[in-house]
Amino acid sequence: NVKLMWRFMSRESCHSVAPHCSNQMKILASVPQFCNSPTMIVMVGLPARGKTYISKKLTRYLNWIGVPTKMFNVGQYRREAVKIYKNFEFFKPDNEEAMRIRKACAAAALKDVTAYFTKEQGQVAVFDATNTTRERRAIIISFAKEKGYKVFFVESICDDPEIIAENIRQVKFGSPDYVDRDIDEAMEDFIQRIDCYRASYMPIDDERDRKLSYIKIFDVGNRYLVNQVQDHIQSRIVYYLMNIHVTPRSIYLSRHGESELNLLGRIGGDSGLSPRGQKYANALATFIKGQNIRDLKVWTSHMKRTIQTAEALGVQYEQWKALNEIDAGVCEEMTYEEIQENYPEEFALRDQDKYRYRYPKGESYEDLVHRLEPVIMELERQENVLVICHQAIMRCLLAYFLDKPADELPYLRCPLHTVLKLTPIAYGCKVESFFLNIEAVNTHRERPVNVDINRNPEEALQTVPDHI
Amino acid sequence: EKSTELSLSSDKTPSNPRELTQNPLKKIWMPYKNGLPEKTHISEKGLCMTNCPTLIVTVGLPARGKTYISKKLTRYLNWIGVPTREFNVGQYRREFVKIYKSFEFFRPDNEEGLKIRRQCASAALNDVRQYLTEEQGQVAVFDATNTTRERRETIIQFAEQNGFKVFFVESVCEDPDVIQENIVQVKLGSPDYTNCNTEEAVEDFMKRIKCYENSYETLDEVLDRDLSYIKIMDVGQRYLVNRVLDHIQSRIVYYLMNIHITPRSIYLCRHGESELNVKGRIGGDSGLTPRGKEFAKNDLKVWTSQMKRTIQTAEALDVPYEQWKVLNEIDAGVCEEMMYEEIQENYPLEFALRDQDKYRYRYPKGESYEDLVQRLEPVIMELERQENVLVICHQAVMRCLLAYFLDKTAEELPYLKCPLHTVLKLTPVAYGCKVESISLNVDAVNTHRERPENVEVSRMSEEALLTVPAHQ
């Protein structure tokens, strides 16, 4: 089958010269390949300045856009080495025993960074620790230089006592270090812990460190200093860090109401709402009003069914072409049965790798992630937003917020007539699901057991949901 | 026209949702009443960049790249669809004071000179106000030295009175080589120095810079902490970014942090002639003809789309290349792989609408040039970061990229000539881009269709097909 061969051939024809890439599976990405040296992102800052928050978020974002990234939290290593945390005295600068342990933990983490880059095809490692002394940073720099890794520092500087206190409340109290303490004790201890670092804290110096690549974040994003951005990935990281914020807000994700084509079990197309879908639109309006959301922005795709849904809300909405449903190419408006009949190989290939599979003359989930990146960036900038979109789109957005990997993403459950409310909390995202009590067809097709090209139709169609 | 009112929910009851109609040109679904589209629905571009106009204000000594940045930023914003215009106060001064004598005009004790300069700044701000309030401009770039806090305060007040947001872009540089190069590239050719020899001009200009130095008050971290600004240091080595307020400012910062001035060239070309080209068909994903394979033979980054014909072209170069899906040709939707004659026969209405507004027209189930620009924005951003790059792409895509580099308007863009077997070499020079067209002396079919005279929906087939290029 020449077409299949061509698709395979063109996947393989992306050349690459860098030695680090030789083992890497070539992702036919729609972003340029960052196929040069791996990058270490090194956090810098006193405790409770948001380093771990930033590390986790950045890691989540980079993985979602397709850059294999892993976080290395030195505190974790310390907790594994010293089973029980007594109190802040561990962090006193004159505590030689503790110093030895902490150095060893940092070294162990760096060793794991090397393993991640050389054996696990990692591209970015986020080294999350205070790294508050020039000496410690020099060790990291020479380690990276020796191995051929690029280094990008992210320093968080904040002296606003309220922000720091809120930070401590949100994430420190729940830490394993303070699991048996009462809140006041924990707060007291943590503040003394911060003081242990203060005396020896040397921020990155704009003069002496002018050759280093770094971003300094002041007061949770009020101000930034960016120095010597070396390459594309660092530029993207800077852009991302400059767009995120910590203001409390919620993001509501919903699909359009049930559509005429949904009822018929047909994928794609641009049909209108079914009567039940219209009911959902009205129910959504009631629900949203009841949530009493401040300054809600509403976004839809360019497709009729999401716009009709938004119309019922009676508020302004913005249409984004980027939110359009995945383009099923030659399979647009087909039922799964028809796809099986007309394109059995395609159907099987899709089940084999639903994330990377691209419909002929259409798109893949991987393509979707690429086109949704500006949506994610704008969602990060915004506060309260309701996104009315489509099944595949919602799966991609959800995977970003809930840190789901590529192989789970295409199977996330996003049923019709259900609103998901996402509220950032601590290091992650709280999800609340609201089914608005209007019946709808099920459009979720599980991965069947047999994904072989030579399977028979019954096996292929086993998991197709019911329809007219 | 943007409406900021909420649409009245009392107009619509649950049992009476508004009807939707699809705009025939852009294929956008809009609510309508009594047969006419309603206005309360906003931006279908998908992004409300800002809700009030923005005034970008440059700050910096002469020869720090302010005009270079102003022009480039203006070009970029217009290309992505944000109506932007620059206002260069030096221009106003040249129109007022017909002949430039010497740097003495700029001496801080030259009362007459100061008066004129203040007037010019006012005149420029007046034009800014007109552009942003009466001409649907969204961004105005106020290009002047603006080196004193006092002058900047005047501008801030002006903006406040008119409801404009202000974003400062300061360029700070003390590297004498960079400044010298700057003077050589753009000052020597300035109308101010047409009658001077090089040495005279440089000497005068250096004295001119001196006139500003003593009163220069750079944006201060403490004193100006409530202002929104980016301070660019040493041509992009370092940036200080303060209080980014909204989406457009965030995009501007991202753009400014990605551009550079290292000399380089960008090569744009289409794939070698394809089988479908020869038959007069549009789009599709076919291979190269024997003729086309000839063309594809010529240390440099090479980018292609994910369509076979560009990849085949790159393969022949035998160098590493990267495939970008976003460089794929415009999606002609239901018209994919059709000849123009077939489009006229099957979709005469669509064919006419396209001729009426080729930039905004979206093929049914396909794309418009406007959509292309949006999907090409990351390519432009990466081209800005890179140095020497060869982009092997397609006719519509190449037109969009070319329009960006050559500052062509949306009306001109879809008709830019990008023939097969011709490489365009773009080299940034002074404030613009030098273009060299390199024809590879290999014959190819012509695929350029000019706008026909009659674009009426009621026109006859012959009139529609008048400008279709010859094919098999």
Side-chain angles (χ1 to χ4, degrees), chain A residues 206 226 228 232 311 319 378, chain B residues 18 46 237-238 247 382:
Chain A
D206 296 332
V226 180
Q228 302 279 7
H232 178 98
E311 276 286 313
Q319 295 186 22
E378 190 56 19
Chain B
R18 293 197 293 192
Q237 292 300 299
R238 179 185 299 191
H247 179 95
E382 190 55 20

Side-chain angles (χ1 to χ4, degrees), chain B residues 245-273:
Chain B
L245 294 180
D246 60 16
H247 179 95
I248 191 71
Q249 290 182 14
S250 164
R251 292 285 285 276
I252 289 166
V253 164
Y254 184 42
Y255 182 71
L256 291 177
M257 286 176 49
N258 279 316
I259 61 181
H260 68 76
I261 55 169
T262 311
R264 50 80 170 254
S265 290
I266 294 168
Y267 300 81
L268 300 181
C269 74
R270 293 166 66 187
H271 51 82
E273 185 188 69

Side-chain angles (χ1 to χ4, degrees), chain A residues 203-221:
Chain A
I204 295 177
D205 188 290
D206 296 332
E207 276 311 304
R208 294 164 72 186
D209 297 318
R210 61 176 345 132
K211 294 255 163 67
L212 298 183
S213 298
Y214 62 86
I215 178 172
K216 278 192 196 180
I217 305 172
F218 297 90
D219 299 320
V220 205

